[in-house]
Amino acid sequence: INFNLVNENKINLESDKSSFNLNCLKASEFPLTDSDFNENMFVLNSKKLLKLLNKCKSSISNDETRHYLSGIFFHINEMDNKKILTAVATDSHRMAISKTLLLDDINFEPIILPKKTIFQLCSLLDDYDGDVKISNVKSKIKFEFNNTILMSKLIDGKFPNYFQVIPKENQKKLEIDLKPFLTSVDRVASVSLDKKD
């Protein structure tokens, strides 16, 4: 394939008997970031991050009018003097919460990671086992791993106080064996219709 830059807005591609003229942009217009991401950087194992994403992504809202629900809310909680990275997603009908213990004391502001970035990350992390460097500044976040850098804008908005909808003193508790329960749910799911998906 031969590439020929006709001018700053047009490129010509030639291969065998085919010739294509394609519109292009100036390299100077490519949106490179000059933000310093190194201030708020921490490291997390890829399997831990993937687990957080996979456990919450099914509860992300598709409602575009409430953009603050169309992602996963990440924040840090403290439990018994230990730092816990918590991921939460809700579509106002269901809610998923997943947590992982952080070994280091980190400075991490709460963020809402967009749906598109989540699914892209899941795809990239699927075949990778190692550390992921995560750093965020203002309205952007950066993930570095395995010679890959993924940068994304964050969702600007306030995630609702999900603690309010979790019952504090719920006496209705049920313990059942996982395998028969999953089998039963699987059988019923084949004839149920979930209009939210």
Side-chain angles (χ1 to χ4, degrees):
I1 300 174
N2 294 318
F3 293 85
N4 179 33
L5 190 64
V6 179
N7 59 49
E8 60 185 22
N9 295 316
K10 191 176 283 186
I11 191 168
N12 175 259
L13 273 70
E14 286 185 351
S15 178
D16 291 333
K17 296 178 182 176
S18 300
S19 178
F20 299 93
N21 285 317
L22 303 174
N23 291 333
C24 59
L25 298 172
K26 288 189 258 182
S28 59
E29 291 179 19
F30 191 81
L32 290 171
T33 179
D34 55 356
S35 303
D36 183 14
F37 281 92
N38 296 324
E39 288 180 22
N40 299 322
M41 194 270 288
F42 70 99
V43 176
L44 188 64
N45 178 269
S46 60
K47 296 301 172 196
K48 283 186 174 184
L49 178 58
L50 189 58
K51 187 177 176 186
L52 288 175
L53 297 169
N54 282 332
K55 291 212 171 200
C56 292
K57 69 183 183 184
S58 61
S59 294
I60 296 171
S61 175
N62 292 320
D63 185 359
E64 291 178 16
T65 60
R66 293 187 292 179
H67 67 283
Y68 51 86
L69 294 181
S70 61
I72 295 179
F73 177 54
F74 283 91
H75 63 290
I76 292 177
N77 288 339
E78 275 201 40
M79 240 188 215
D80 303 326
N81 292 326
K82 292 177 182 173
K83 298 267 185 176
I84 310 286
L85 181 62
T86 305
V88 185
T90 182
D91 60 3
S92 75
H93 294 282
R94 57 190 171 188
M95 181 166 58
I97 302 172
S98 187
K99 301 176 181 182
T100 191
L101 179 67
L102 292 170
L103 301 174
D104 300 319
D105 187 17
I106 64 163
N107 180 21
F108 183 74
E109 294 295 318
I111 61 157
I112 304 173
L113 196 60
K115 182 193 248 183
K116 195 170 183 180
T117 306
I118 291 159
F119 282 88
Q120 183 69 53
L121 251 181
C122 287
S123 174
L124 292 169
L125 292 173
D126 225 9
D127 300 321
Y128 173 66
D129 189 2
D131 286 339
V132 179
K133 285 183 190 173
I134 303 168
S135 46
N136 72 303
V137 58
K138 295 179 186 171
S139 61
K140 295 179 188 139
I141 192 162
K142 179 166 75 168
F143 300 90
E144 292 179 80
F145 57 94
N146 197 26
N147 297 322
T148 301
I149 296 175
L150 176 63
M151 284 193 292
S152 170
K153 284 187 175 179
L154 298 169
I155 292 175
D156 183 24
K158 188 168 170 52
F159 199 82
N161 184 354
Y162 65 93
F163 290 109
Q164 290 180 330
V165 298
I166 302 171
K168 299 284 185 291
E169 296 174 17
N170 185 13
Q171 301 302 317
K172 297 170 185 162
K173 292 183 180 176
L174 175 67
E175 266 190 50
I176 55 173
D177 194 26
L178 181 62
K179 209 165 188 178
F181 177 65
L182 287 176
T183 307
S184 301
V185 170
D186 196 36
R187 279 199 304 269
V188 174
S190 63
V191 291
S192 72
L193 291 172
D194 186 358
K195 293 180 181 174
K196 295 304 289 180
D197 286 344

